[in-house]
Amino acid sequence: MAHFEVSDIVRALHGVRDEWRDSQRRSREPGAREFPSRGALAQIVESLKGALFPMRLGPPDLRHESEDFYVGHTLDAALQALLVQARLELNFNARHEPRPASDIDDSATDAIRRFATALPGLRRLLDSDVLAAYQGDPAARSVDEVLLCYPGVLAMIHHRLAHELYKLGLPLLARIVAELAHGQTGIDIHPGAQIDAGFFIDHGTGVVIGETAVIGKRVRLYQAVTLGAKRFPTDAEGNLQKGLPRHPVVEDDVVIYAGATILGRVTLGKGAVIGGNVWITDDVPAGASVTQASLQNAPKAGGAA
């Protein structure tokens, strides 16, 4: 068995951590964990998925007669665990804006109660997403297949949960939940994106949806679509300005085919069809069809054909 001299490496890593903590104005005081846990959130999300869809995403031996008991037990445990993670995020944020511990605890408890209250509505939204996938894909044999197998549906389960956390002032928890799905599916949806009912991502790999995107009802996307920002405004000191509307607005019943890139705060009008591999930085009228050929034949600036 090989012997490794790790003591020097341990000391060196300790020094590097101290340098980082000093540069970020972090405390060196001994204590408990400062940050939410990605592993804990992964387990919480799995439990929430089981509580939302017990007979399909719950335990394999679950029976209908014990469904409500399972949901109640699982949901209570998941919410208690989520409360712990919410406290960690709010405590971490309080480094810059100090707050009484009782205030942080009240805020975390209120946020998770509101999150729990939102779950029936999230289930209804997810049912509309599952139905949209089934109706939009001729290869789908059942809604159960869609829920169990489609990466776009998995990404939307995570997004619906993450978006609720984002709205409740827990953006770090929300981002971790979103990134868990990103790692599994290759679909990158920022938790701030607003997505209405009946949303379907077919195939899905490479889809990117930015923080301030707004998507209407019954929208369908294919793989490698980007709803991104065209530019990143900075302030007088050159720092990026956060939170400004910079991603597209996609109205109801729009279809966007594979590889399309839509950048900036542009609007795709209701019922528009965006062809594959096009690049769009201007508004698209309602009902319009945009393809590579139509863009190539469009009049150039200054009136030249």
Side-chain angles (χ1 to χ4, degrees), residues 221-303:
L221 269 60
Y222 289 81
Q223 67 271 22
V225 166
T226 296
L227 304 179
K230 185 177 180 181
R231 58 178 62 89
F232 303 99
T234 58
D235 60 21
E237 298 178 352
N239 299 311
L240 284 178
Q241 293 182 291
K242 307 283 187 176
L244 296 177
R246 60 195 182 277
H247 299 102
V249 175
V250 181
E251 295 185 345
D252 297 348
D253 301 304
V254 169
V255 179
I256 307 176
Y257 285 98
T261 299
I262 299 92
L263 300 180
R265 194 61 164 187
V266 299
T267 298
L268 307 184
K270 181 176 181 179
V273 177
I274 310 301
N277 297 311
V278 299
W279 184 282
I280 294 175
T281 56
D282 295 300
D283 292 344
V284 174
S289 179
V290 180
T291 64
Q292 289 189 33
S294 68
L295 291 175
Q296 289 168 0
N297 295 329
K300 304 295 188 294

Side-chain angles (χ1 to χ4, degrees), residues 169-204:
L170 298 167
L172 180 55
L173 298 190
R175 194 61 185 266
I176 293 171
V177 171
E179 288 303 317
L180 290 169
H182 183 196
Q184 294 179 57
T185 66
I187 298 170
D188 184 359
I189 308 176
H190 192 285
Q194 301 175 49
I195 304 178
D196 214 326
F199 183 61
F200 175 35
I201 304 173
D202 200 0
H203 304 297

Side-chain angles (χ1 to χ4, degrees), residues 21 43 52 79 120 133 135 137 142 172 181 196-197 201 215 259 277 302 305:
R21 287 166 180 161
Q43 293 178 10
L52 287 167
L79 294 172
Q135 294 174 338
D137 185 2
S142 69
L172 180 55
D196 214 326
I201 304 173
I215 299 175
N277 297 311

